[in-house]
């Protein structure tokens, strides 16, 4: 069941590169930086994900990153999801994140899955929401 909103962020794509075009299925790598909140605390998120364009036009992606607070606390994440292009060239991603941290403030994240909505405009602007999955 979809639970409480854990966090939101806004950011930008900082780099894109083509990793492979074997078999007509391009594999791309994208990196981003974003700022927002996680459990009510201000964070900066930096991540990289790979996406594969599948035969049906959808994307499959996997990524990893690190969230940092101004106090120096870190939360790492790994995730995977499915993306769909819309009519404007933007991509809407849906998937799951798994967290790890030694921070007491964020300790509850290591025992849950976070479901995400990640929207990337054609310009590279990105917004995300993360919900607890109970």
């Amino acid at each position: 069941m979809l639970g409480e909103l854990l966090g939101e962020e806004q950011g930008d794509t900082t780099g894109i590169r083509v990793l492979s075009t074997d078999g007509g299925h391009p594999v791309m790598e994208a990196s981003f930086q974003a700022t927002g909140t996680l459990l009510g605390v201000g964070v900066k998120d930096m991540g990289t994900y790979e996406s594969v364009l599948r035969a049906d036009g959808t994307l499959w992606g996997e990524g990893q990153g690190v969230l940092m607070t101004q106090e120096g606390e870190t939360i790492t994440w790994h995730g995977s999801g499915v993306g769909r292009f819309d009519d404007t060239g933007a991509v809407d991603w849906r998937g799951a994140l798994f967290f790890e941290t030694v921070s007491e403030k964020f300790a509850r994240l290591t025992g849950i899955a976070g479901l995400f909505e990640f929207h990337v405009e054609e310009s590279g602007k990105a917004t995300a929401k993360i919900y607890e999955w109970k």
Side-chain angles (χ1 to χ4, degrees), residues 79-92:
S80 58
V82 174
R84 290 180 176 80
F85 290 96
D86 70 14
D87 295 338
T88 69
V91 180
D92 285 309

Side-chain angles (χ1 to χ4, degrees), residues 11-35:
D12 291 290
T13 302
T14 57
I16 298 175
R17 68 185 189 135
V18 176
L19 299 177
S20 173
T21 58
D22 294 342
H25 296 283
V27 179
M28 308 282 286
E29 176 185 84
S31 294
F32 68 91
Q33 289 187 2
T35 57

Side-chain angles (χ1 to χ4, degrees), residues 72-109:
E73 296 166 297
T74 60
I75 305 101
T76 60
W77 58 265
H78 289 85
S80 58
V82 174
R84 290 180 176 80
F85 290 96
D86 70 14
D87 295 338
T88 69
V91 180
D92 285 309
W93 289 92
R94 302 294 184 265
L97 297 173
F98 304 95
F99 302 96
E100 188 171 349
T101 185
V102 295
S103 167
E104 291 292 321
K105 190 182 299 182
F106 297 98
R108 74 177 261 221
L109 295 175

